[in-house]
Amino acid sequence: NGTPVRVAVVTTSNASSVKVQIGSQSISLGQTGPGKWFVTLPFPAGALSSGQSSVTAAIVASRSDGTSATIPVTISSTASGSP
């Protein structure tokens, strides 16, 4: 629905790129320091089906030699209401 989502990832210093995959979208994170990566992205509206409250995203860290590691991350949506 476009809600901003912040993604911060810490890797070994030999990672050359990091991406987050949500649904069919793949978004690259920017490197903020050795082994530190960050992005703020709008949550893709189509990632959650009607009635679904969570989705599994994938964090993919890659090295320059082509090897990569993938970690699944569950993202939960909560309805906001009056306090």
Side-chain angles (χ1 to χ4, degrees):
N1 67 3
T3 300
V5 175
R6 292 180 302 274
V7 180
V9 176
V10 176
T11 66
T12 58
S13 60
N14 63 352
S16 60
S17 68
V18 177
K19 294 183 180 184
V20 59
Q21 296 175 335
I22 303 173
S24 62
Q25 292 191 2
S26 180
I27 299 101
S28 295
L29 281 71
Q31 190 168 17
T32 59
K36 296 181 181 180
W37 307 82
F38 183 82
V39 71
T40 299
L41 58 106
F43 189 80
L48 286 174
S49 301
S50 179
Q52 189 179 14
S53 62
S54 66
V55 64
T56 300
I59 304 294
V60 182
S62 301
R63 296 189 324 199
S64 58
D65 67 3
T67 59
S68 64
T70 303
I71 298 174
V73 177
T74 301
I75 300 172
S76 297
S77 170
T78 58
S80 58
S82 301

